Amino acid sequence: TQRPFTGLTLNGGLRYDEDHRRQTDVGTGALRTDTFDHLQPKVTLTWKPQDGRLVYATYSTGFRSGGFNAPNVAVLSFKPETLENFEVGFKTQFFDRRLTINGAAFLTNVDNYQYFYVEAVSASQIIDSIDKVRIKGFELEMIGNLAPGLDASFAFGTTDSEIRKSIFPADVGNHTPRTVPFSSTASLQYRQALTGETDGFVRVEWQHIGKKYWGADNAAVQGAYDIVNARVGVEHGKLGVYAYVLNLLDDKYYGEFFQPKYSGLDIDISGVERKSGGL
């Protein structure tokens, strides 16, 4: 009879960060200094009941230093960001490791969630923070060898972020800036030996990006879009020649977007991404 807790492992770690920040205003000579530090424990419980099967649960913490924005902007400094993360997941392999399926679910509580925007008046990137944020989500990944030389993959993820406390009460309950609640990817690749040391391959990738919330007020929302990339190549030892096309379907989407509320202008600031390719 197999013991139920065979293969059970407990790992722990401790990290300490101390960040010394110093800023000098070259115009006035004014000096600003501060120190940000945080202790970050991590504990992971792993159970491996048999070869090719693993289940885990993790508690971890994170830290992102505070700092200073430009001396002539509305938000002069930003607070350090800290978080607590709870995650459970599994990693599995089937059919003599020809199929891999991994999944994870997480819940993260963040204090002083940092985000950035562009202030046009001072031509500065501003880092600001939101008091409290909760993020939860799920990820699933599948990788399979369908036939000799033919590999496929598929993955999707959900991210549900919620502003729980803010100096702007109207933002409470909204998604955090730049949140994409759903995304997925897939790929198909075929590799074939051409000669003894030369391989040729073809790879196609698809990425679906769901709607995106640009600001904390959730007023500006980008619709979902799809990106298809293609790549072909020939490899000989450590040398390779490749041709590729990014965004094969020429789907248009914003790389950046800032509303007048944040930029200070009376128009939106945006940049559109387009198709590209190369050899």
Side-chain angles (χ1 to χ4, degrees), residues 95-117:
F95 310 118
D96 196 23
R97 302 191 177 186
R98 295 179 59 186
L99 174 63
T100 298
I101 303 177
N102 302 326
F106 61 90
L107 173 66
T108 305
N109 294 315
V110 188
D111 288 336
N112 301 318
Y113 178 95
Q114 294 178 4
Y115 69 100
F116 81 95
Y117 56 91

Side-chain angles (χ1 to χ4, degrees), residues 38 44 50 98 102 105 111 114 117 129 180 230 235 248 261:
H38 195 66
T44 300
Q50 63 185 83
R98 295 179 59 186
N102 302 326
D111 288 336
Q114 294 178 4
Y117 56 91
S129 60
V180 178
E235 296 176 341
L248 183 64
K261 175 180 178 179

Side-chain angles (χ1 to χ4, degrees), residues 38-276:
H38 195 66
L39 188 66
Q40 302 147 75
K42 179 180 180 179
V43 179
T44 300
L45 182 64
T46 302
W47 182 41
K48 190 175 183 180
Q50 63 185 83
D51 188 38
R53 307 286 191 277
L54 183 146
V55 180
Y56 68 91
T58 296
Y59 167 77
S60 59
T61 56
F63 165 73
R64 184 180 295 173
S65 176
F68 306 111
N69 290 312
N72 59 335
V73 300
V75 181
L76 294 176
S77 61
F78 52 94
K79 299 176 181 179
E81 177 184 296
T82 59
L83 64 84
E84 285 187 311
N85 181 65
F86 305 87
E87 181 176 332
V88 294
F90 63 88
K91 299 178 184 292
T92 57
Q93 291 184 316
F94 303 92
F95 310 118
D96 196 23
R97 302 191 177 186
R98 295 179 59 186
L99 174 63
T100 298
I101 303 177
N102 302 326
F106 61 90
L107 173 66
T108 305
N109 294 315
V110 188
D111 288 336
N112 301 318
Y113 178 95
Q114 294 178 4
Y115 69 100
F116 81 95
Y117 56 91
V118 172
E119 184 183 83
V121 176
S122 61
S124 301
Q125 175 178 292
I126 308 298
I127 300 178
D128 205 346
S129 60
I130 299 171
D131 295 339
K132 290 187 179 295
V133 167
R134 172 167 289 178
I135 306 171
K136 56 186 177 181
F138 178 78
E139 299 172 347
L140 182 67
E141 174 189 43
M142 293 177 285
I143 304 171
N145 176 236
L146 305 182
L150 182 62
D151 297 308
S153 69
F154 174 76
F156 74 87
T158 65
T159 303
D160 180 15
S161 66
E162 180 189 0
I163 298 173
R164 300 177 69 84
K165 183 179 179 181
S166 172
I167 61 172
F168 303 105
D171 292 345
V172 174
N174 290 348
H175 294 290
T176 55
R178 289 171 171 72
T179 290
V180 178
F182 178 82
S183 62
S184 59
T185 62
S187 70
L188 189 66
Q189 177 175 298
Y190 180 69
R191 181 179 292 273
Q192 175 67 47
L194 302 179
T195 65
E197 297 183 0
T198 304
D199 290 344
F201 74 91
V202 178
R203 180 179 177 86
V204 179
E205 302 170 342
W206 165 78
Q207 183 178 17
H208 173 78
I209 297 90
K211 59 184 179 180
K212 185 173 187 176
Y213 296 87
W214 289 106
D217 60 2
N218 288 185
V221 183
Q222 177 170 260
Y225 61 93
D226 297 275
I227 300 296
V228 177
N229 302 323
R231 186 182 183 193
V232 297
V234 177
E235 296 176 341
H236 181 82
K238 295 183 179 181
L239 301 177
V241 178
Y242 312 95
Y244 66 91
V245 177
L246 303 179
N247 195 5
L248 183 64
L249 302 181
D250 198 22
D251 208 349
K252 302 178 182 64
Y253 59 95
Y254 290 117
E256 287 292 353
F257 188 93
F258 301 101
Q259 304 157 240
K261 175 180 178 179
Y262 301 99
S263 69
L265 299 177
D266 57 359
I267 58 173
D268 297 324
I269 303 176
S270 62
V272 179
E273 300 288 340
R274 297 297 299 272
K275 180 170 65 176
S276 64

